[in-house]
Amino acid sequence: MPALDVATAALESAQKYVEENKQTVTIAAGATAAALVAAYAWRRAATYVPTSGKYPVGTLPAGAYDAVIVGAGPSGSVCGHYLAKAGVKVALLDKEKFPRDKYCGDAVCTPAISILEDMGVMQELKDNNEAHFADAGGFVSPDGTSYIGASVHKLGRAACCAVKRINMDVRIARCAQRSGADFKEGFDVVAASFNKDAGLWTVTSADGTKVTGRCLIVADGATSKLATKLGYCTEPPKGVCSRAFVEGGTHKTNFDGVCFYPKWSLPGYAAIFRHPNDELNYCYYLIPTSGGKEVFGDVSEADLMRLHNDAITKDPFISAALGPNAKLERMRVAPLRLGGQGLTTTVDDHMLIIGDAAGHIDPLTGEGIHTAMMGGKAAAETVIDMRATGDWSKQSCKAYARRWHKAFGHDFFMSQKMADYIYKYPILLDACASEMQRKGDTMMAKWAEVMTCIQPKTYFLQPHVAIPLGISVIREIFAQKIFRTKPDRYQMKA
């Protein structure tokens, strides 16, 4: 039967059905239209931002600030810089005197590099030899399959660099100060209260000093005493990482950055990043899972010191990179609040929570510097908009939540799922490393793009990535499980 005849017959059949079932069709059409209208109305209401409010420019009391930021880490200081640069009156508070150290992996990923370049801070870091850009990097999989390549040649730029927090944080904070932020060091916040009638927050320090502002921005780190005290954070952070600097010239590391995935601590991992002057940052991350014997797969927080110290001499790959004469500082520990863990919300009337305090740390990698800076910039954009309209309500503050979710938060679900799958199926990482050995820097570049937030985790599901990886998984199953031709080279030394 010709195609035209088929189409004609189908149309006649549809017309006949409509004629015979007019009432049913009418009800169905009406219900569909109503559902579409309701969905549109709901979306408009959910994303609606008031265009005017009670507190336009000029209503701010003398001595008060448009925004008070508690915490001058990367998120708070980036936020303070962009606010001050836009003419917003902002106070930037921190309990410490700068420079101050912060225990961290020190990996600054691509989105953070872009923000630091825009602020002019990256040039300062380069000029003072405080940033080392990664060229040679890679990872070691749970069965000991490894690849170290130079993804920079495929990406056209380094996917990350290493910067000590004691150097980076003070430069960002001073940049915010130069832009016009009122940077108050040694301001230990012990309380914050909101006067709904006046539309003002009052922030109080341990010595009784008070600062008032139209908007409170909570950026006091992973433990966030302030978010906890205000009731927005309901539990302590679950993730944890170690850090130990290694003196230059005492080790045998010949790469810029490598992640090590020993099977006994999955989905956690260890990493070594090179700093300027041949210094290293050796760190160990314990990443929470959705299931497992312990919070971190098969290990607990109490195992961190053992894992960190044993790897220095007994891990076949880490011990080889460090060598027998490496001089390491004493292990330091920092908490990690990953993927928004423990937060009931990141917005309320006249209030935003940003950075580590908001749990803006990737649940797969444990990296949070880039997300902190991206979130800080998103918060600044939201405050600038609210100041222009005069509306600081929760409805207006929700624009910040949409911004950070669009920028990076949408990726947290997949990150957590990948962490769970890596714990359950280590062979996935083995397959990825094997594929890198076959394809070289082309595959390494794709891995680097995902792990440094250039691409979302769903990038692994795109056919040109997923199909080769799927074939590689099949190869690994045959090599490891069926023919047993591939030995397990990742075993701790006696």
Side-chain angles (χ1 to χ4, degrees), residues 9 46 92 178 319 322 383 390 440 450:
L92 180 61
R178 290 193 301 270
S319 64
L322 294 177
V383 169
V450 173

Side-chain angles (χ1 to χ4, degrees), residues 350-434:
H350 298 242
M351 193 280 302
L352 310 174
I353 305 176
I354 66 176
D356 288 7
H360 288 170
I361 299 178
D362 189 284
L364 174 63
T365 65
E367 299 294 346
I369 293 176
H370 63 292
T371 45
M373 293 188 190
M374 294 164 76
K377 190 174 182 180
E381 292 167 351
T382 304
V383 169
I384 292 167
D385 290 345
M386 292 192 295
R387 182 173 179 267
T389 63
D391 186 87
W392 302 79
S393 67
K394 184 176 182 178
Q395 189 63 33
S396 287
C397 289
K398 285 180 179 178
Y400 158 67
R402 291 192 293 274
R403 280 184 167 113
W404 71 253
H405 189 270
K406 181 179 180 181
F408 55 83
H410 63 89
D411 213 29
F412 285 170
F413 175 80
M414 278 296 294
S415 290
Q416 185 60 65
K417 288 300 178 184
M418 287 181 66
D420 293 342
Y421 277 116
I422 286 171
Y423 164 64
K424 294 178 181 177
Y425 310 108
I427 200 170
L428 296 174
L429 287 173
D430 299 330
C432 194
S434 294

Side-chain angles (χ1 to χ4, degrees), residues 272-483:
I272 295 176
F273 300 111
R274 184 185 297 275
H275 279 287
N277 302 316
D278 196 41
E279 196 170 3
L280 305 178
N281 181 335
Y282 161 56
C283 49
Y284 213 117
Y285 285 80
L286 294 187
I287 304 295
T289 56
S290 298
K293 297 176 183 177
E294 302 284 352
V295 174
F296 309 106
D298 293 336
V299 296
S300 67
E301 184 176 348
D303 295 312
L304 179 59
M305 180 174 286
R306 173 183 60 79
L307 292 166
H308 176 102
N309 290 330
D310 283 356
I312 295 170
T313 56
K314 297 179 181 180
D315 185 293
F317 299 97
I318 294 173
S319 64
L322 294 177
N325 301 312
K327 294 182 179 179
L328 289 85
E329 71 168 354
R330 179 175 59 84
M331 184 189 88
R332 319 283 179 166
V333 178
L336 302 172
R337 186 180 298 279
L338 300 96
Q341 173 248 321
L343 271 292
T344 58
T345 182
T346 58
V347 299
D348 206 341
D349 289 326
H350 298 242
M351 193 280 302
L352 310 174
I353 305 176
I354 66 176
D356 288 7
H360 288 170
I361 299 178
D362 189 284
L364 174 63
T365 65
E367 299 294 346
I369 293 176
H370 63 292
T371 45
M373 293 188 190
M374 294 164 76
K377 190 174 182 180
E381 292 167 351
T382 304
V383 169
I384 292 167
D385 290 345
M386 292 192 295
R387 182 173 179 267
T389 63
D391 186 87
W392 302 79
S393 67
K394 184 176 182 178
Q395 189 63 33
S396 287
C397 289
K398 285 180 179 178
Y400 158 67
R402 291 192 293 274
R403 280 184 167 113
W404 71 253
H405 189 270
K406 181 179 180 181
F408 55 83
H410 63 89
D411 213 29
F412 285 170
F413 175 80
M414 278 296 294
S415 290
Q416 185 60 65
K417 288 300 178 184
M418 287 181 66
D420 293 342
Y421 277 116
I422 286 171
Y423 164 64
K424 294 178 181 177
Y425 310 108
I427 200 170
L428 296 174
L429 287 173
D430 299 330
C432 194
S434 294
E435 189 64 13
M436 287 180 192
Q437 290 184 344
R438 277 187 287 272
K439 298 291 181 62
D441 289 346
T442 299
M443 185 62 201
M444 181 68 223
K446 293 175 182 177
W447 170 270
E449 284 184 299
V450 173
M451 302 305 278
T452 59
C453 206
I454 298 174
Q455 296 283 0
K457 304 301 185 298
T458 51
Y459 185 66
F460 280 131
L461 301 179
Q462 294 187 16
H464 72 285
V465 181
I467 292 174
L469 284 179
I471 294 172
S472 185
V473 170
I474 294 172
R475 288 196 188 103
E476 289 296 315
I477 292 173
F478 273 90
Q480 293 186 30
K481 309 297 183 183
I482 298 177
F483 298 122

Side-chain angles (χ1 to χ4, degrees), residues 80-102:
H81 162 74
Y82 283 105
L83 287 176
K85 188 178 178 182
V88 177
K89 188 178 180 183
V90 55
L92 180 61
L93 319 177
D94 200 283
K95 66 180 181 179
E96 302 291 347
K97 295 280 189 178
F98 281 56
R100 59 96 176 95
D101 197 8
K102 194 78 172 180

